[in-house]
Amino acid sequence: MELDMAAAELKAVLNRLRRAQGQISGVIRMIEEGRDCEDVVTQLAAASRALDRAGFAIIATGLQQCLTEMEDGSRSGADTDEMRGRLEKLFLSLA
């Protein structure tokens, strides 16, 4: 499955991933510094949410592409069913 993301969508996903990357770096630093457990877990949860949101944005783009291809007739029914199954599996992996 190849996703063709528009520049704005791609930028938003990359920003979320960079934010998560920064949060994970912060968590590592906090652990190394012996920071409070509650603070570490709070930052870890924020990083997890950022990753989830990036994943959901990618899946939403895939669903949108699939629907567009169905409407313009460039994807057959069998292809659509296969794509739906793959996107469903990806979605569930994030749930």
Side-chain angles (χ1 to χ4, degrees):
M1 171 175 45
E2 188 174 318
L3 290 178
D4 181 25
M5 297 182 82
E9 295 167 333
L10 183 61
K11 183 178 179 182
V13 168
L14 289 173
N15 284 341
R16 288 187 193 281
L17 292 173
R18 286 187 184 103
R19 185 177 308 127
Q21 183 179 33
Q23 289 166 327
I24 291 169
S25 294
V27 168
I28 292 169
R29 191 170 42 256
M30 292 170 77
I31 291 171
E32 290 173 344
E33 294 170 356
R35 297 276 300 273
D36 181 65
C37 178
E38 187 176 341
D39 294 339
V40 172
V41 171
T42 299
Q43 280 302 313
L44 195 55
S48 178
R49 283 190 303 275
L51 289 172
D52 286 346
R53 290 181 67 111
F56 287 132
I58 291 169
I59 291 170
T61 299
L63 287 170
Q64 184 178 18
Q65 279 182 239
C66 188
L67 289 172
T68 301
E69 290 173 1
M70 280 176 35
E71 288 174 356
D72 68 14
S74 63
R75 184 176 294 274
S76 71
D79 288 343
T80 300
D81 289 342
E82 179 187 345
M83 178 66 74
R84 187 186 74 66
R86 291 169 65 190
L87 288 169
E88 181 179 341
K89 185 177 179 180
L90 288 171
F91 179 81
L92 291 173
S93 73
L94 292 175

